[in-house]
Amino acid sequence: MDQLGLEPHVVKVEGEGWSFEEIGHQGALRILEVRGFPTNTILCSNDRLAIGLLSACYEMGFRVGRGEGCALRVASHDDHPFSRFTCPSLTTAAHDYDSVANHAFSTLNELIEAGGTFNDRQETLFAARLILRASA
């Protein structure tokens, strides 16, 4: 977004627990009622919240997608197994969870062997794959 001179807007919805679809649905209804999204492109923090958002969009009559007549574009990340079955199907980023889990396990073992502390903080980046579907 920086390269294009655009500013991200963070919109938070309230909710507790593991009912992410319900949290996304209720939060999106409140925001859509007042046209509170500052742009027509929404990136959710996970697919389950986005599934709730898609449901709210349908309920409020907002057409989601890349095509003619679409009011909003919605994307997310996780590549949840249900994401390809939403309507429209959810554009998402797939993560290599096996690599992440293996690295976490190796790091935990190294931390134990090091006596519980590391001398340096390390960051590891893992590639994600864009799964382009109908929603964005």
Side-chain angles (χ1 to χ4, degrees):
M1 291 186 76
D2 285 341
Q3 290 175 351
L4 296 174
L6 301 173
E7 181 183 338
H9 302 275
V10 177
V11 179
K12 296 181 181 180
V13 296
E14 299 297 319
E16 291 184 22
W18 291 93
S19 302
F20 296 128
E21 296 84 0
E22 180 68 21
I23 293 167
H25 179 258
Q26 292 301 316
L29 284 176
R30 286 190 293 273
I31 295 167
L32 291 168
E33 285 174 352
V34 297
R35 306 236 187 236
F37 287 115
T39 70
N40 66 347
T41 303
I42 303 164
L43 175 61
C44 292
S45 59
N46 68 58
D47 286 2
R48 291 182 58 199
L49 287 171
I51 289 169
L53 170 65
L54 289 175
S55 176
C57 288
Y58 176 80
E59 193 173 314
M60 297 289 295
F62 289 92
R63 188 164 174 223
V64 174
R66 294 179 277 146
E68 180 100 14
C70 291
L72 296 169
R73 294 178 183 205
V74 176
S76 186
H77 66 88
D78 285 346
D79 196 25
H80 189 283
F82 295 160
S83 296
R84 66 187 182 121
F85 299 109
T86 60
C87 187
S89 57
L90 182 61
T91 292
T92 185
H95 303 279
D96 183 354
Y97 291 111
D98 288 338
S99 294
V100 173
N102 288 332
H103 183 73
F105 184 75
S106 295
T107 302
L108 181 58
N109 283 330
E110 291 172 20
L111 183 62
I112 292 168
E113 290 176 14
T117 59
F118 287 132
N119 292 331
D120 297 315
R121 181 176 189 267
Q122 295 180 3
E123 289 186 21
T124 304
L125 301 178
F126 296 91
R129 243 179 345 106
L130 179 63
I131 309 296
L132 189 60
R133 296 192 181 111
S135 70

